[in-house]
């Protein structure tokens, strides 16, 4: 809203400007909790979605899918390094064939696009939902890891986070690290370092592959399928003091090294809940054909 400009309000206006600058400075130093209908936009299936108040102070978005159409939103902003998180409650009951997503993707040509994927593959009632993750860099993907979760993701909201910095892409669930993809660009492995990415969330039908390799199809008698999203938060990547931005962080800086708790979480999840890792898929790759980062990880680099 534009403020009237007059001599009697000159001091007040100066104070207001100073206050706004202070708020902007403080806001740049802490997580930003986005108001959903201001910071995301619906791009398809608007007739299948609705915003609602989930409690006195929490705005949520319901995405739905029926036999005619699914639904999708995207962020209005794009990001180059940062932390993005959202609370999601997945489709209840028989969700075989249905996929809910939260992911980031660049907007340049597909041949060299970057993407960080979290896809939740539905299942028949009583069977676990699979969290399917993948990373694309410069158009190169095929870096899938899949996980079961240690809770029922349809019973309540849980927080899913993409943490992207110049050294690692971390995927967290309720704050617990489940996957770390390291930057080996200096070894010739592509890594997302220069393209801004936009956040997307969607609910769609993928019964040709999503559940048991496509063996179980979507049961449309259970439609509409509904997944709920809330608490969209973004935090810009913070470099070391004196460094202009995260992309300028010195390569030997320990700024983005993994702490002991993160390493412990990764070990626990990988031992108990990881069900697929492309770096151990000997049916897919001959020993000499694994992606280069797989050998580097085995060597502890």
């Amino acid at each position: 809203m534009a403020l009237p400009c007059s001599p009697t309000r000159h001091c007040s206006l100066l104070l207001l400007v100073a206050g706004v600058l202070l708020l902007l400075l403080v806001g740049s130093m802490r997580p930003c909790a986005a108001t959903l209908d201001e910071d995301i936009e619906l791009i398809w299936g608007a007739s299948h979605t609705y915003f609602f108040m989930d409690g006195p102070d929490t705005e949520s978005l319901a995405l739905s899918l029926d036999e005619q159409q699914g639904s999708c939103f995207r962020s209005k902003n794009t990001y180059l390094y940062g932390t993005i998180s959202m609370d999601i409650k997945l489709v209840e009951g028989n969700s075989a064939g249905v996929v809910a997503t939260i992911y980031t993707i660049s907007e340049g040509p597909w041949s060299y696009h970057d993407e960080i994927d979290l896809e939740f593959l539905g299942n028949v009632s009583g069977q676990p939902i699979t969290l399917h993750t993948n990373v694309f860099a410069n158009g190169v993907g095929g870096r899938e890891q899949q996980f079961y979760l240690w809770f029922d993701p349809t019973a309540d909201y849980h927080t899913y986070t993409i943490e992207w910095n110049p050294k690692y892409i971390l995927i967290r669930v309720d704050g617990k690290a489940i996957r770390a993809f390291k930057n080996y660009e200096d070894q010739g492995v592509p890594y997302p370092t220069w393209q801004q990415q936009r956040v997307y969330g969607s609910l769609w039908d993928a019964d040709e592959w999503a559940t048991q390799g496509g063996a179980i199809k979507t049961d449309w008698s259970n439609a509409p399928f509904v997944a709920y999203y809330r608490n969209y938060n973004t935090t810009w990547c913070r470099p070391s003091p004196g460094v202009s931005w995260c992309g300028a962080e010195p390569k030997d800086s320990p700024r983005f090294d993994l702490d002991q708790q993160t390493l412990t979480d990764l070990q626990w999840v990988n031992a108990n809940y990881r069900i697929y890792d492309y770096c151990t898929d000997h049916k897919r790759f001959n020993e000499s054909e694994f992606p280069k980062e797989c050998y580097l990880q085995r060597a502890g680099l």
Side-chain angles (χ1 to χ4, degrees):
M1 181 179 67
L3 292 173
C5 183
S6 69
T8 60
R9 296 186 180 179
H10 183 65
C11 291
S12 296
L13 184 57
L14 288 176
L15 289 171
L16 177 61
V17 171
V20 169
L21 290 174
L22 179 61
L23 286 172
L24 288 173
L25 177 61
V26 173
S28 68
M29 297 173 62
R30 64 184 181 188
C32 174
T35 302
L36 283 180
D37 59 354
E38 293 180 356
D39 290 83
I40 65 174
E41 57 187 354
L42 305 176
I43 58 171
W44 44 271
S47 63
H48 288 58
T49 66
Y50 57 91
F51 292 97
F52 67 100
M53 295 306 297
D54 192 6
D57 302 312
T58 304
E59 185 179 28
S60 296
L61 172 65
L63 296 184
S64 70
L65 165 71
D66 62 23
E67 201 163 2
Q68 282 69 50
Q69 190 176 38
S71 45
C72 179
F73 68 85
R74 69 181 179 188
S75 64
K76 294 180 180 179
N77 290 328
T78 57
Y79 308 92
L80 179 55
Y81 300 136
T83 299
I84 298 134
S85 68
M86 199 157 196
D87 296 350
I88 306 173
K89 181 182 178 186
L90 297 176
V91 176
E92 295 183 60
N94 183 358
S95 60
V98 177
V99 174
T101 71
I102 183 79
Y103 64 99
T104 64
I105 189 169
S106 62
E107 298 182 324
W110 185 259
S111 60
Y112 55 82
H113 84 286
D114 297 336
E115 186 174 348
I116 306 168
D117 284 339
L118 280 73
E119 297 180 303
F120 302 90
L121 312 184
N123 213 336
V124 294
S125 299
Q127 297 299 312
I129 285 174
T130 297
L131 171 52
H132 175 95
T133 68
N134 201 356
V135 176
F136 287 78
N138 296 341
V140 179
R143 299 172 166 124
E144 301 93 345
Q145 288 187 358
Q146 295 183 339
F147 306 85
Y148 288 150
L149 298 168
W150 50 96
F151 52 81
D152 179 359
T154 73
D156 204 350
Y157 287 95
H158 292 270
T159 305
Y160 303 93
T161 301
I162 296 169
E163 187 176 321
W164 172 30
N165 62 56
K167 188 170 286 188
Y168 284 98
I169 293 168
L170 283 167
I171 295 174
R172 299 182 185 270
V173 177
D174 289 340
K176 188 181 295 294
I178 67 166
R179 180 174 185 179
F181 182 81
K182 190 174 181 178
N183 183 351
Y184 291 113
E185 196 170 36
D186 60 352
Q187 301 288 328
V189 179
Y191 187 87
T193 58
W194 61 279
Q195 297 187 89
Q196 295 203 8
Q197 298 190 47
R198 196 178 299 275
V199 182
Y200 285 76
S202 62
L203 188 67
W204 57 292
D205 174 42
D207 70 359
E208 70 276 9
W209 63 271
T211 304
Q212 298 183 28
I216 301 181
K217 302 299 183 182
T218 304
D219 183 353
W220 294 109
S221 68
N222 294 311
F225 302 97
V226 183
Y228 301 94
Y229 293 71
R230 71 181 186 189
N231 291 337
Y232 171 58
N233 286 277
T234 61
T235 305
W236 294 105
C237 179
R238 300 175 187 173
S240 299
V243 179
S244 59
W245 74 293
C246 285
E249 190 73 31
K251 290 188 179 298
D252 59 352
S253 168
R255 178 70 172 179
F256 302 115
D257 289 351
L258 303 183
D259 59 30
Q260 186 56 53
Q261 185 59 58
T262 296
L263 293 170
T264 300
D265 289 345
L266 288 168
Q267 184 178 24
W268 178 77
V269 171
N270 290 339
N272 295 284
Y273 294 98
R274 189 175 67 190
I275 59 173
Y276 177 80
D277 180 6
Y278 73 109
C279 279
T280 62
D281 190 345
H282 291 273
K283 293 181 179 179
R284 179 176 173 184
F285 302 107
N286 294 324
E287 185 57 39
S288 61
E289 296 176 342
F290 279 95
K292 189 172 184 179
E293 67 268 21
C294 299
Y295 301 110
L296 295 169
Q297 289 169 15
R298 293 176 196 172
L301 299 177

